[in-house]
Every structure is written in C-alpha cells, then in structure tokens.
Amino acid sequence: MTTITSPAQGGAIQHANYTTTFAALASYEKGGVELIADDARHYAFSNIFDVASTMPAWDRVAVAKNWEYVLETVRAEGTSPWFTASHDEFAICMDAADGEVLVELVKLDMPIATDDVEGAVLVDGDPVGPRMGRIRLKRGHQALLPKGSAYRFVKDGAPGVLLIQTIGGELTQYRWAEICQTV
Amino acid sequence: MTIQLDVDRSADVNVDGYHTFKLGEFTFRRDEFFVYIDWPTGSHIMSADAFLRALQRDVAWDFFYGIVNFDGIFGTVNHYGTVDIFAGRYNESYRKAELDYSETVETPVIRETFEAVLSDWTNQSFDPFASPHETGSAFGVKNGDNDAAVTRQRVAAERMVGLPGDQQPRSDEMGYPVNRMFADVDQSEPVVEVEPGFEDEVAAFSLFAYLSRSDVTWNPSVVSVCKDSLACPTTEEYILPIIHGNDRVEWFIQLSDQITWEVEDRDTGAVRSRVVMKAGDVCAMPADIRHQGYSPKRSMLLVWENNSGAIPEAIASGKAPTYPIEF
C-alpha cells in the first residue's frame, strides 16, 4: 500500500489525508478508565451511544452532572412530547442516522415553567402560542432551545441521539449505576 | 480605565537577544534552547518550546480554573483576583526537602508580566498555540516576534454561536480554513426556518464544522451558556502543554477520535489512572486530580465547566465532594 504524505511546516512528513472518527448508535466503541490507585465511580465514565442504545425514546438520562447542571442523552425516535423550560437549553445532534432531527418551536402565550423551576418540564397537550420556527439538525449541529418556548423533536426512520445541555429537573433520570463503569 | 503596570524587565538583552524578567522573587531567563527559573530556595530548567506552549495557555485562559502546572515543578494557582506562582509546591520531594516556594501576586501584575515574557521570547517562526506539524521552531536566538499569534483572543459566546450579535460560525472569509486533519468533516449548516419576529431566538449552527476550522489546539472556547453551565469545546492534537490541576469537577465529552488522559493526584503527582476516551465517551475529572491529555490525531473534545465562583471554596473546605456523583 502506498502512503501519500505531505511535508509539515516543521519539516516532518505527515499523511496527506486523515479520517475523522465520529461514533453513532450503529457504530461506537467505548474506551474506559484504567485504574491504578483510584475508584472508577469518581470518573462516572459512560458513553452517550451506549446509554441511548438501551433506553426508551425521549427519556432524558443524565450522563454528566455538575451541581445543578446536567448533560442529558436522548434517544431520538419518532415524535417527542412537547417540552419547555424557564431557561435556555441546547441540543447537539450526535447522530442523525443519515437523516435529520427536526426541532419545532412555539412561543408559549403563558409560560408553563415558572422562573423558579429548573430543568425541562412537559407541556400538557399541544402548546398554545405562535410558531417560532423549525430547525433541521444533522450530525454535529447544535440548536438553541430558547427559554419560554415549547419544543419537540421529530426523528423519522432509524433512531438518532441528542445531547442536551440543561439543568437537572423533574424529567431528568439518574441511572449512574446502570450506565457508568464501576470497577 | 487601563492601568499601565511596570513589568520588571532587564534594560539590556542577553547574548541571545532575550530580556530577563523578575516577578517578586522569581527570575525568568531564556537562551537558545532553555528557560531558567530561579527563586530563593532553588532553580529550574525547562525546554523553551514546552515553557512557551504552557505560558501561552496560562495567559490566554487568564490562569484558568485551579492549577496550571507547566510541568511537575513550576506553575500557577488561580484565586480569581490573585494568582499564586509556585515552584515545587505540588511536588512531594520538593516539599519534603523544604525547597518549595510560592508567592501570591495580584492578577493584573502577573498577567502583564507573563504577556511581556510571551511576547519577548516567542520568535516569528513559532506559534505556541499550534500543533508541532503546524509551526516552526521555538528555538534559536531572538528572531522577530509573533504577537499576532500569541495575542489571539479566547472565543466566548454570550448565549450561543450563531445568534445575532454573538460569536459567528467560522468561515474561509473570516480566516478560518478547515484544518487539514478535519478535511473530511461535513461543512453543511443546519436548515433554520424562522417565523418573523423570532430571529433572535431561533438559531442553530454546525458545531463540528465550527471546530474543524479552529486554528488552535488545547484552547477551549465557549459556544453555549446556560447560566453557569459553559460548553467549551476545543480541538486537540499532540499533548496538552500543561498539567491541569482541578479546583472543581470538570467533564470531558469526546466528540471525535481519541484522547488518552494521564491522571495523577493533584497535590503529590502520584499516578491514579489512565483514561482512554473514544468518540461518544463521557468522563468526569475529579476536583483533586491533575491531568494531561494525548491526542494522536486532531480530535474534537467538549469540555464542560460549571463557572460558579462558589465551587472552589466549597470543595476546598470539604463542604462539597471532590467527585461529581454519589452512587
């Protein structure tokens, strides 16, 4: 096999082409913590795709927690319920399974999550208010889920995976013992 | 009002063309290959390129969260208003021999001094932010400067990249070409349909395309903000030039490729673990460790921080645990 190379600025030789490795629900490989003198639980090591592979669609499972703040993994499959929050949230599409995840946004006439409520809450029924817009996310795209809005996701076809930056709330599920490396 | 501080720098340059600097009782000199640090109870020598790469991060991050170890001997501790500059403080042998030393200085004083050192000691051939494949040599006698590179501003979105009035996605036109190791990363942006009146709230951008155009390594930049929750992704290649000692728990989410982290006890340097992170892996870095990362191919890493000023004291006083979750 011929290796194509190109000169680097410092005079070394490097490959002319590199392959970036992303993971997906259909293809991921976990690393891990190699313990020398520590407890694996202190690292809460997990994998977003591993977590999403066994969870029901649209459950919000925390994979990271820093005081009140969390990162939630969501298996995107079908149409989600409507959610809302009193603060901004953000969704990163980690896997769109060669498709896209649709985000629908509605400005609520009356806020459902008051300012003292943290984390996402469910909207009962269809949201009441004007449409704000729609966003089509592919892998690596990030969207604002603005405070005071109602939002839902639609993922047709094979399931995808979302990572949501938010605050822990009534919908956040903590399954550390199930998802994390413990030994 | 900008206060002009006096930097204690030698009037003349040495035979290699570099100034010598003093900060408190610390003295900093460099020659063609090395940096020499002296303090009342000892001295230390570092390779000039390793020192400048570490100094670049310390300056650009305004001393970051917690401890920035330049190596196992020398570094800084951020107290968010003052900074400790130390030698041997987090090295068990130095402490036992009572050779460790530290001074506390006002942040503007150390900032001004370190910026002056970085400017004076970085030659035009060297970019301390770049991977070894993307820069020339740090070594040799004084040869111009590279102030354009060493004064890059750390990018910090106020709400999210792509919103009107906030940081914008990178492009060729803005001077951010796709990095050679991310040439295969999809550059398409999300399709956003906005109803009139909601232009300031309906927004999205391609995080992966944004990162593929980063011109620096090991330099987290804020892309989204939920109160004190900061998403700080970064692109990594070769070795993290510092050993970061945590004063709070931080989280890593590997977005692409692979990084290996060597994790040591923050105070003694004793080895605690090695963490191998592949795409999709999530791992906390406890608040009582120090870590250094190795990335064999340029990779994308989401560093997730809690910016609350209350955390370091809560952890230092024992009111909060050093690890993130009890389970």
Coordinates of all heavy atoms in Angstrom, one line a residue, chain B residues 78-149:
Chain B
N78 N -4.9 29.8 40.4 CA -5.8 30.9 40.2 C -6.7 31.1 41.4 O -7.4 30.1 41.8 CB -6.6 30.7 39.0 CG -7.3 32.0 38.5 OD1 -7.2 33.1 39.2 ND2 -8.0 32.0 37.4
H79 N -6.7 32.2 42.0 CA -7.6 32.5 43.1 C -8.6 33.6 42.7 O -9.3 34.2 43.5 CB -6.9 33.0 44.4 CG -6.0 31.9 44.9 ND1 -6.4 30.7 45.4 CD2 -4.6 31.9 45.1 CE1 -5.4 30.0 45.9 NE2 -4.3 30.7 45.6
Y80 N -8.7 33.8 41.4 CA -9.7 34.7 40.7 C -9.6 36.1 41.3 O -10.6 36.6 42.0 CB -11.1 34.1 40.9 CG -11.0 32.6 40.5 CD1 -11.0 31.6 41.4 CD2 -11.0 32.3 39.1 CE1 -10.9 30.3 41.0 CE2 -10.9 30.9 38.7 CZ -10.8 29.9 39.7 OH -10.8 28.6 39.3
G81 N -8.5 36.8 41.1 CA -8.2 38.1 41.7 C -6.8 38.2 42.1 O -6.1 39.2 41.9
T82 N -6.3 37.1 42.6 CA -4.9 36.9 42.8 C -4.4 35.6 42.2 O -5.3 34.7 42.0 CB -4.5 37.0 44.3 OG1 -5.1 35.9 45.0 CG2 -4.9 38.3 45.0
V83 N -3.2 35.5 42.0 CA -2.6 34.2 41.5 C -1.4 33.8 42.3 O -0.5 34.7 42.6 CB -2.2 34.4 40.0 CG1 -1.5 33.1 39.5 CG2 -3.4 34.8 39.2
D84 N -1.3 32.6 42.7 CA -0.1 32.1 43.3 C 0.8 31.6 42.2 O 0.4 30.9 41.3 CB -0.4 30.8 44.2 CG -1.2 31.2 45.4 OD1 -1.3 32.4 45.7 OD2 -1.6 30.2 46.1
I85 N 2.1 32.0 42.3 CA 3.1 31.5 41.4 C 4.0 30.6 42.2 O 4.4 31.0 43.3 CB 3.9 32.6 40.7 CG1 4.9 32.1 39.8 CG2 4.4 33.6 41.6 CD1 5.5 33.2 38.8
F86 N 4.2 29.4 41.8 CA 4.9 28.4 42.7 C 6.0 27.6 42.0 O 6.0 27.5 40.8 CB 3.9 27.5 43.3 CG 3.2 26.5 42.3 CD1 3.9 25.4 41.9 CD2 2.0 26.8 41.8 CE1 3.3 24.5 41.0 CE2 1.4 25.9 40.9 CZ 2.0 24.8 40.5
A87 N 6.9 27.1 42.9 CA 7.9 26.1 42.4 C 7.9 25.0 43.4 O 8.1 25.3 44.6 CB 9.2 26.8 42.3
G88 N 7.7 23.8 43.0 CA 7.8 22.6 43.9 C 6.6 22.4 44.8 O 6.6 21.5 45.6
R89 N 5.6 23.3 44.8 CA 4.5 23.2 45.8 C 3.7 22.0 45.6 O 3.2 21.4 46.6 CB 3.6 24.5 45.6 CG 2.4 24.5 46.5 CD 1.9 25.9 46.4 NE 0.5 26.0 46.9 CZ -0.2 27.1 46.8 NH1 0.3 28.2 46.3 NH2 -1.5 27.1 47.2
Y90 N 3.6 21.5 44.4 CA 2.8 20.2 44.2 C 3.7 19.1 43.8 O 3.4 18.2 43.0 CB 1.7 20.5 43.1 CG 0.7 21.5 43.6 CD1 0.8 22.8 43.2 CD2 -0.3 21.2 44.5 CE1 -0.1 23.8 43.7 CE2 -1.1 22.1 45.0 CZ -1.0 23.4 44.6 OH -1.9 24.4 45.1
N91 N 4.9 19.1 44.4 CA 5.9 18.0 44.2 C 6.3 17.6 45.6 O 6.9 18.3 46.3 CB 7.1 18.6 43.4 CG 8.1 17.6 43.0 OD1 8.7 17.0 43.9 ND2 8.3 17.3 41.8
E92 N 6.0 16.3 45.8 CA 6.3 15.8 47.2 C 7.7 15.9 47.6 O 8.1 16.2 48.8 CB 5.8 14.3 47.3 CG 5.5 13.9 48.7 CD 4.6 12.6 48.7 OE1 4.5 12.0 47.7 OE2 4.1 12.3 49.8
S93 N 8.6 15.6 46.7 CA 10.1 15.6 47.0 C 10.5 17.1 47.4 O 11.3 17.3 48.3 CB 10.9 15.1 45.9 OG 10.6 13.8 45.6
Y94 N 10.1 18.0 46.6 CA 10.4 19.4 46.9 C 9.9 19.8 48.2 O 10.5 20.5 49.0 CB 9.9 20.3 45.8 CG 10.8 20.5 44.6 CD1 11.0 19.5 43.7 CD2 11.5 21.7 44.5 CE1 11.9 19.7 42.7 CE2 12.4 21.9 43.4 CZ 12.6 20.9 42.5 OH 13.4 21.1 41.5
R95 N 8.6 19.4 48.5 CA 8.0 19.8 49.8 C 8.8 19.2 51.0 O 9.1 19.8 52.0 CB 6.6 19.4 49.8 CG 5.7 20.3 49.0 CD 4.3 20.4 49.6 NE 3.7 19.1 49.7 CZ 3.0 18.5 48.7 NH1 2.8 19.0 47.6 NH2 2.5 17.3 48.9
K96 N 9.1 17.9 50.8 CA 9.8 17.2 51.9 C 11.2 17.8 52.2 O 11.7 17.9 53.3 CB 10.0 15.7 51.6 CG 8.7 14.9 51.9 CD 8.9 13.5 51.6 CE 7.7 12.6 51.9 NZ 7.8 11.2 51.4
A97 N 11.8 18.3 51.1 CA 13.1 18.9 51.2 C 13.0 20.4 51.6 O 14.1 21.1 51.7 CB 13.9 18.8 49.9
E98 N 11.8 20.9 51.7 CA 11.5 22.3 52.0 C 12.1 23.2 51.0 O 12.6 24.3 51.3 CB 12.0 22.6 53.5 CG 11.2 21.8 54.5 CD 11.6 22.1 55.9 OE1 12.6 22.9 56.1 OE2 11.0 21.6 56.9
L99 N 12.1 22.8 49.8 CA 12.6 23.6 48.7 C 11.5 24.3 47.9 O 11.7 25.0 47.0 CB 13.5 22.8 47.7 CG 14.8 22.3 48.3 CD1 15.5 21.4 47.3 CD2 15.7 23.5 48.6
D100 N 10.3 24.0 48.3 CA 9.1 24.5 47.6 C 9.0 26.0 47.9 O 9.4 26.4 49.0 CB 7.8 23.8 47.9 CG 7.5 23.8 49.3 OD1 8.3 23.3 50.1 OD2 6.4 24.3 49.7
Y101 N 8.4 26.8 47.0 CA 8.3 28.2 47.2 C 7.1 28.7 46.4 O 6.8 28.3 45.3 CB 9.6 28.9 46.8 CG 9.6 30.4 47.0 CD1 9.9 30.9 48.3 CD2 9.3 31.3 46.0 CE1 9.9 32.3 48.5 CE2 9.3 32.6 46.2 CZ 9.6 33.1 47.4 OH 9.6 34.5 47.6
S102 N 6.4 29.7 47.0 CA 5.3 30.3 46.3 C 5.1 31.8 46.7 O 5.4 32.1 47.9 CB 4.0 29.5 46.4 OG 3.5 29.6 47.7
E103 N 4.6 32.5 45.8 CA 4.2 33.9 46.1 C 2.8 34.2 45.6 O 2.5 33.6 44.5 CB 5.2 34.9 45.5 CG 6.6 34.9 46.1 CD 7.4 36.0 45.5 OE1 6.9 37.1 45.1 OE2 8.6 35.8 45.4
T104 N 2.1 35.1 46.2 CA 0.8 35.5 45.7 C 0.9 36.9 45.2 O 1.4 37.8 45.8 CB -0.3 35.5 46.9 OG1 -0.3 34.2 47.5 CG2 -1.7 35.8 46.4
V105 N 0.4 37.0 43.9 CA 0.5 38.3 43.3 C -0.9 38.7 42.7 O -1.7 37.8 42.5 CB 1.5 38.3 42.1 CG1 2.9 38.1 42.7 CG2 1.2 37.2 41.1
E106 N -1.1 40.0 42.6 CA -2.3 40.5 42.0 C -2.4 40.0 40.6 O -1.4 40.1 39.8 CB -2.4 42.0 42.1 CG -2.4 42.6 43.5 CD -3.7 42.2 44.2 OE1 -4.8 42.2 43.6 OE2 -3.6 41.9 45.5
T107 N -3.6 39.6 40.1 CA -3.7 39.1 38.8 C -3.2 40.0 37.7 O -2.5 39.6 36.8 CB -5.2 38.7 38.5 OG1 -5.6 37.7 39.4 CG2 -5.4 38.2 37.1
P108 N -3.5 41.3 37.8 CA -3.0 42.2 36.7 C -1.5 42.2 36.6 O -1.0 42.4 35.5 CB -3.6 43.6 37.1 CG -4.8 43.3 37.9 CD -4.4 42.1 38.7
V109 N -0.8 42.1 37.7 CA 0.6 42.1 37.7 C 1.2 40.9 37.0 O 2.1 41.0 36.1 CB 1.2 42.2 39.2 CG1 2.7 42.2 39.2 CG2 0.6 43.5 39.8
I110 N 0.7 39.7 37.4 CA 1.3 38.5 36.7 C 0.8 38.4 35.3 O 1.6 38.0 34.4 CB 0.9 37.2 37.5 CG1 1.6 36.0 36.9 CG2 -0.6 37.0 37.6 CD1 1.4 34.7 37.7
R111 N -0.4 38.9 35.0 CA -0.9 38.9 33.6 C 0.0 39.7 32.7 O 0.5 39.3 31.7 CB -2.3 39.4 33.6 CG -2.9 39.4 32.2 CD -4.2 40.2 32.1 NE -5.3 39.6 33.0 CZ -6.0 40.3 33.8 NH1 -5.8 41.6 34.0 NH2 -7.0 39.6 34.5
E112 N 0.3 41.0 33.2 CA 1.2 41.9 32.4 C 2.6 41.3 32.2 O 3.2 41.4 31.1 CB 1.2 43.2 33.1 CG 1.8 44.3 32.3 CD 0.6 45.2 31.7 OE1 -0.5 44.8 31.8 OE2 0.9 46.2 31.1
T113 N 3.1 40.7 33.3 CA 4.5 40.2 33.2 C 4.5 39.0 32.3 O 5.4 38.9 31.4 CB 5.0 39.7 34.6 OG1 4.9 40.9 35.5 CG2 6.4 39.2 34.5
F114 N 3.6 38.1 32.4 CA 3.6 36.9 31.6 C 3.3 37.2 30.1 O 3.9 36.6 29.2 CB 2.5 35.9 32.1 CG 3.0 34.9 33.2 CD1 4.2 35.3 33.9 CD2 2.4 33.8 33.5 CE1 4.6 34.4 34.9 CE2 2.8 32.9 34.5 CZ 4.0 33.3 35.2
E115 N 2.5 38.2 29.9 CA 2.3 38.6 28.5 C 3.6 39.2 27.9 O 3.9 39.0 26.7 CB 1.2 39.7 28.4 CG -0.2 39.1 28.6 CD -1.3 40.1 28.6 OE1 -1.0 41.4 28.7 OE2 -2.5 39.8 28.7
A116 N 4.3 39.9 28.7 CA 5.6 40.5 28.2 C 6.6 39.4 27.9 O 7.3 39.5 26.9 CB 6.1 41.5 29.2
V117 N 6.7 38.4 28.8 CA 7.6 37.3 28.6 C 7.2 36.6 27.3 O 8.1 36.3 26.4 CB 7.6 36.3 29.8 CG1 8.4 35.1 29.5 CG2 8.1 37.0 31.0
L118 N 5.9 36.3 27.1 CA 5.5 35.5 25.9 C 5.8 36.3 24.7 O 6.3 35.7 23.7 CB 4.0 35.3 26.1 CG 3.3 34.5 25.0 CD1 3.8 33.0 25.0 CD2 1.8 34.4 25.3
S119 N 5.6 37.6 24.7 CA 5.9 38.4 23.5 C 7.4 38.5 23.2 O 7.8 38.3 22.1 CB 5.4 39.8 23.7 OG 5.7 40.7 22.6
D120 N 8.2 38.6 24.2 CA 9.6 38.8 24.0 C 10.3 37.5 23.6 O 11.2 37.5 22.8 CB 10.3 39.3 25.3 CG 11.7 39.7 25.1 OD1 12.0 40.6 24.3 OD2 12.6 39.0 25.7
W121 N 9.8 36.4 24.2 CA 10.5 35.1 24.0 C 10.0 34.3 22.8 O 10.5 33.2 22.5 CB 10.4 34.2 25.2 CG 11.3 34.8 26.4 CD1 12.0 36.0 26.4 CD2 11.4 34.2 27.7 NE1 12.6 36.1 27.6 CE2 12.3 35.1 28.4 CE3 11.0 33.1 28.3 CZ2 12.7 34.8 29.7 CZ3 11.3 32.8 29.6 CH2 12.2 33.7 30.3
T122 N 8.9 34.7 22.2 CA 8.3 33.9 21.1 C 8.8 34.5 19.8 O 8.6 35.7 19.4 CB 6.8 34.0 21.1 OG1 6.3 33.5 22.3 CG2 6.2 33.2 19.9
N123 N 9.6 33.7 19.0 CA 10.1 34.2 17.8 C 9.1 34.1 16.6 O 8.1 33.4 16.8 CB 11.4 33.3 17.4 CG 12.5 33.6 18.3 OD1 12.8 34.7 18.7 ND2 13.1 32.5 18.8
Q124 N 9.4 34.8 15.5 CA 8.4 34.8 14.4 C 8.2 33.4 13.8 O 7.2 33.2 13.2 CB 8.9 35.8 13.4 CG 10.2 35.4 12.7 CD 10.6 36.4 11.6 OE1 10.1 37.5 11.6 NE2 11.6 36.0 10.8
S125 N 9.1 32.5 14.1 CA 8.9 31.2 13.5 C 8.0 30.3 14.3 O 7.7 29.2 13.9 CB 10.3 30.5 13.4 OG 10.9 30.5 14.7
F126 N 7.6 30.7 15.5 CA 6.9 29.8 16.4 C 5.5 30.3 16.8 O 5.3 31.5 17.1 CB 7.7 29.6 17.7 CG 7.2 28.6 18.6 CD1 7.0 27.3 18.3 CD2 6.9 29.0 19.9 CE1 6.6 26.4 19.2 CE2 6.4 28.0 20.9 CZ 6.2 26.7 20.5
D127 N 4.5 29.4 16.8 CA 3.2 29.6 17.2 C 2.9 28.7 18.4 O 2.6 27.5 18.1 CB 2.2 29.4 16.1 CG 0.7 29.7 16.5 OD1 0.5 29.9 17.7 OD2 -0.1 29.7 15.7
P128 N 2.9 29.2 19.6 CA 2.7 28.2 20.8 C 1.3 27.6 20.8 O 1.2 26.6 21.5 CB 2.9 29.2 22.0 CG 3.5 30.4 21.5 CD 3.1 30.5 20.0
F129 N 0.3 28.1 20.1 CA -1.0 27.5 20.1 C -1.1 26.4 19.1 O -2.0 25.6 19.1 CB -2.0 28.5 19.7 CG -2.7 29.2 20.8 CD1 -2.9 30.6 20.9 CD2 -3.3 28.4 21.8 CE1 -3.6 31.2 21.9 CE2 -4.0 29.0 22.9 CZ -4.1 30.4 22.9
A130 N -0.1 26.3 18.1 CA -0.3 25.3 17.0 C 0.3 24.0 17.4 O 1.1 23.8 18.3 CB 0.5 25.9 15.8
S131 N -0.2 23.0 16.6 CA 0.4 21.6 16.8 C 1.8 21.6 16.2 O 2.1 22.5 15.4 CB -0.5 20.6 16.1 OG 0.0 20.3 14.8
P132 N 2.6 20.7 16.6 CA 4.0 20.6 16.1 C 4.1 20.6 14.5 O 5.1 21.1 13.9 CB 4.6 19.4 16.7 CG 3.8 19.2 17.9 CD 2.4 19.6 17.6
H133 N 3.1 20.0 13.9 CA 3.0 19.9 12.4 C 2.7 21.3 11.8 O 2.8 21.4 10.6 CB 2.0 18.9 12.0 CG 2.5 17.5 11.8 ND1 3.9 17.2 11.7 CD2 1.9 16.3 11.7 CE1 4.0 15.9 11.6 NE2 2.8 15.3 11.6
E134 N 2.2 22.2 12.6 CA 1.7 23.5 12.0 C 2.6 24.7 12.4 O 2.1 25.8 12.2 CB 0.3 23.7 12.4 CG -0.7 22.6 11.9 CD -2.1 22.8 12.3 OE1 -2.3 23.1 13.5 OE2 -3.0 22.7 11.4
T135 N 3.7 24.5 13.0 CA 4.5 25.6 13.4 C 6.0 25.3 13.2 O 6.4 24.1 13.2 CB 4.3 26.0 14.9 OG1 5.1 27.1 15.2 CG2 4.6 24.8 15.8
G136 N 6.8 26.3 13.1 CA 8.2 26.1 13.0 C 8.8 26.0 14.5 O 8.1 25.7 15.4
S137 N 10.1 26.4 14.6 CA 10.8 26.1 15.8 C 10.7 27.3 16.8 O 10.6 28.5 16.4 CB 12.3 25.9 15.5 OG 13.0 25.8 16.6
A138 N 10.7 26.9 18.1 CA 10.7 27.9 19.2 C 12.1 28.3 19.5 O 12.4 29.2 20.3 CB 10.0 27.3 20.4
F139 N 13.1 27.5 19.0 CA 14.5 27.6 19.5 C 15.3 28.7 18.7 O 14.8 29.3 17.7 CB 15.1 26.3 19.4 CG 14.4 25.2 20.1 CD1 13.9 24.1 19.5 CD2 14.2 25.3 21.5 CE1 13.3 23.1 20.2 CE2 13.6 24.4 22.2 CZ 13.1 23.2 21.6
G140 N 16.5 28.9 19.2 CA 17.4 29.8 18.5 C 17.5 31.2 19.2 O 16.8 31.4 20.2
V141 N 18.3 32.0 18.6 CA 18.5 33.4 19.2 C 17.3 34.2 18.7 O 16.5 33.8 17.9 CB 19.8 34.0 18.7 CG1 21.0 33.2 19.2 CG2 19.8 34.2 17.2
K142 N 17.1 35.3 19.4 CA 16.0 36.2 19.1 C 15.8 36.5 17.6 O 16.7 36.9 16.9 CB 16.2 37.5 19.9 CG 15.1 38.5 19.7 CD 13.8 38.1 20.3 CE 12.7 39.3 20.3 NZ 11.4 38.8 20.7
N143 N 14.6 36.3 17.1 CA 14.3 36.4 15.7 C 12.9 36.9 15.5 O 12.0 36.2 15.2 CB 14.5 35.0 15.0 CG 14.2 35.1 13.5 OD1 14.3 36.2 12.9 ND2 13.8 34.0 12.9
G144 N 12.7 38.2 15.7 CA 11.4 38.8 15.5 C 10.4 38.4 16.6 O 10.8 38.0 17.7
D145 N 9.1 38.5 16.2 CA 8.1 38.1 17.2 C 6.9 37.5 16.5 O 6.9 37.5 15.2 CB 7.7 39.3 18.1 CG 7.0 40.4 17.2 OD1 6.1 40.1 16.5 OD2 7.5 41.6 17.3
N146 N 6.0 37.0 17.2 CA 4.7 36.5 16.6 C 3.6 37.0 17.5 O 2.7 36.2 17.9 CB 4.8 35.0 16.5 CG 3.8 34.5 15.5 OD1 3.0 35.2 15.0 ND2 3.7 33.1 15.4
D147 N 3.5 38.3 17.7 CA 2.5 38.9 18.5 C 1.0 38.6 18.0 O 0.1 38.5 18.8 CB 2.7 40.4 18.7 CG 3.8 40.6 19.7 OD1 4.3 39.7 20.4 OD2 4.2 41.8 19.8
A148 N 0.9 38.5 16.7 CA -0.4 38.2 16.1 C -0.9 36.9 16.6 O -2.1 36.7 16.9 CB -0.4 38.3 14.6
A149 N 0.0 35.9 16.8 CA -0.4 34.6 17.2 C -0.6 34.5 18.7 O -1.6 33.9 19.2 CB 0.6 33.6 16.7

